[in-house]
Amino acid sequence: MNANGKIPLLALPDGRYLSESNAILGYLAADSDFAGRDRYTRAEILQWLFFEQYSHEPNIATSRFIVQYLGSPPDRQTALEEKRFAGYKALDVMEGELDSKEFFVDDKYSLADIALYAYTHVASDGGFDLKEYPGIRAWLERVEGTPAYVPMRAKQDDVAYPGAP
Ligand SMILES: N[C@@H](CCC(=O)N[C@@H](CS)C(=O)NCC(=O)O)C(=O)O
């Protein structure tokens, strides 16, 4: 289903599959406001999605994996320190942006926010402290206040999807 053997994986009703989280987001949000309505906005959203994949996820998400799932073993401490340094650098970039903005692109909630929210809101699981990041903390709350926000840890039965039967 995914030649790269990783999750997430989206199974389409017609039997096709799609991997890579941000490709999946792009597919699900295509032709909606979340994906941007004009050429520059769409490119700016892509800019943040690539930032998420290159500067954020490899440091913040993988630190969480090492701490939460591997139990922070001694042979991963050097990797963890490097990831901590680079992860805080990514958080600094986000904080700088959110200093003057409500959301990352055009001050409107978009795929950029959705992709970056995912591992930022659980960054503390990987040892990141958001105390010095008031802009990020306020932004996390704004994302959580958007219509149809569903917490990652919500039980399926507790979730009311708007428009669902
Ligand atoms: N760039 C990919 C990363 C996918 C990824 O690393 N997934 C992890 C779990 S979050 C995985 O499947 N790891 C298992 C493995 O690497 O064997 C994305 O954003 O979807």
Side-chain angles (χ1 to χ4, degrees):
M1 291 182 278
N2 176 5
N4 202 18
K6 292 179 191 281
I7 55 167
L9 185 83
L10 181 71
L12 301 178
D14 63 9
R16 290 183 294 177
Y17 296 100
L18 203 51
S19 62
E20 289 296 332
S21 54
N22 289 342
I24 293 170
L25 288 182
Y27 176 82
L28 294 174
D31 304 323
S32 79
D33 286 347
F34 294 130
R37 288 287 181 200
D38 67 78
R39 186 176 176 177
Y40 184 75
T41 304
R42 280 197 295 272
E44 260 196 304
I45 290 170
L46 282 176
Q47 174 190 293
W48 286 108
L49 298 186
F50 288 122
F51 166 83
E52 190 270 337
Q53 286 287 295
Y54 192 78
S55 303
H56 188 284
E57 192 268 355
N59 300 307
I60 294 176
T62 54
S63 290
R64 181 172 180 262
F65 176 73
I66 294 170
V67 173
Q68 290 279 108
Y69 294 92
L70 301 183
S72 214
D75 66 336
R76 301 301 289 270
Q77 291 312 303
T78 305
L80 210 46
E81 273 170 38
E82 286 167 4
K83 287 172 185 297
R84 193 75 34 91
F85 178 79
Y88 274 121
K89 226 171 132 190
L91 292 172
D92 289 345
V93 171
M94 292 169 66
E95 182 70 19
E97 203 71 19
L98 293 167
D99 198 30
S100 57
K101 286 176 169 177
E102 299 254 297
F103 295 107
F104 280 93
V105 177
D106 269 359
D107 267 342
K108 279 197 225 118
Y109 185 52
S110 76
L111 289 187
D113 303 285
I114 294 172
L116 283 166
Y117 173 84
Y119 282 111
T120 306
H121 89 291
V122 289
S124 63
D125 290 352
F128 290 93
D129 187 349
L130 296 183
K131 195 167 70 249
E132 303 295 324
Y133 295 90
I136 292 181
R137 285 189 280 112
W139 165 77
L140 290 174
E141 281 181 20
R142 277 196 291 281
V143 171
E144 284 154 21
T146 55
Y149 168 82
V150 177
M152 186 166 75
R153 288 173 176 131
K155 285 196 279 139
Q156 201 62 23
D157 292 348
D158 295 340
V159 176
Y161 291 100

